Amino acid sequence: KDDIKGLSEQIIVENCPLMQQVLKGRKYRCISLNASNIACDDVTGTGKGGVAYVALSEGESCYVHNLQTGKLENVFVGDEDGATATITSLFFYANRVYTGTMDSVLIGWDLS
């Protein structure tokens, strides 16, 4: 039953306003739901202690959207030195988004 509940939640996320809005016209390379939501057993992040955001990457940019409304909350590009390359990996945990780029640069972005 837990597997069915999890799949049902994933389907809801895929059909929510966010996915309809952000997938229109953009080609994202990486998408990451917040890993801390696993502890809450709630993929949408709406439970106690959850994070209701999703991180997505396109080229050198990382976008963070609200899962419920689809609203763009943050955009991160490059690092403080201006070095940029295509983001090839993405990890989202608690209030930080980590991006790995084609030029082997790992950046941790703070959402707070």
Side-chain angles (χ1 to χ4, degrees):
K1 291 184 180 183
D2 288 338
D3 290 341
I4 293 172
K5 180 182 176 191
L7 290 173
S8 295
E9 288 176 349
Q10 289 176 7
I11 290 169
I12 290 168
V13 169
E14 290 173 5
N15 292 319
C16 74
L18 166 70
M19 290 303 173
Q20 293 176 13
Q21 176 186 342
V22 299
L23 294 177
K24 189 178 5 172
R26 291 194 188 262
K27 294 188 180 191
Y28 292 105
R29 182 180 190 109
C30 304
I31 298 175
S32 181
L33 293 168
N34 199 301
S36 63
N37 292 346
I38 294 168
C40 302
D41 196 27
D42 179 12
V43 71
T44 63
T46 56
K48 184 178 179 182
V51 180
Y53 297 101
V54 62
L56 308 105
S57 71
E58 176 189 42
E60 300 90 21
S61 302
C62 178
Y63 304 92
V64 178
H65 287 268
N66 182 298
L67 272 172
Q68 303 304 311
T69 66
K71 180 182 175 192
L72 178 64
E73 300 287 341
N74 294 84
V75 178
F76 302 111
V77 180
D79 63 15
E80 60 276 355
D81 297 324
T84 58
T86 299
I87 295 171
T88 57
S89 60
L90 191 60
F91 182 70
F92 190 9
Y93 186 80
N95 68 335
R96 296 190 65 82
V97 176
Y98 299 90
T99 56
T101 62
M102 288 185 112
D103 59 354
S104 303
V105 174
L106 179 65
I107 302 171
W109 307 96
D110 190 353
L111 297 178
S112 52

